[in-house]
Amino acid sequence: MINLHTEPGNALLEALKQQGRKQVKQYPPLAFDKGIDFDSYTLRKEGLERVLEWTKLV
């Protein structure tokens, strides 16, 4: 686990996608707290999955 601020986290997510990882899951886009209190994406490449999750630190 690492702690990242929003912008570097989004940059990491996009970089992983540009490296050929496909988004196969995400926290429901219409969830009331998406991107505010919690968010999650699962990316897959060559059968391996990487899960990125984050929550608001209090």
Side-chain angles (χ1 to χ4, degrees), residues 20-22 24 42-50:
R21 289 171 177 84
K22 301 295 180 197
V24 294
T42 301
L43 305 174
R44 182 180 298 146
K45 182 178 180 183
E46 299 175 359
L48 299 175
E49 291 188 348
R50 181 170 300 224

Side-chain angles (χ1 to χ4, degrees), residues 9-57:
N10 288 337
L12 173 61
L13 180 61
E14 289 307 311
L16 291 170
K17 288 180 180 180
Q18 289 178 0
Q19 293 173 3
R21 289 171 177 84
K22 301 295 180 197
Q23 179 180 310
V24 294
K25 293 182 197 171
Q26 73 170 319
Y27 192 61
L30 299 178
F32 73 95
D33 62 343
K34 179 170 178 60
I36 300 169
D37 291 328
F38 182 78
D39 216 338
S40 174
Y41 291 87
T42 301
L43 305 174
R44 182 180 298 146
K45 182 178 180 183
E46 299 175 359
L48 299 175
E49 291 188 348
R50 181 170 300 224
V51 178
L52 291 89
E53 291 183 338
W54 57 95
T55 186
K56 179 180 176 183
L57 296 175

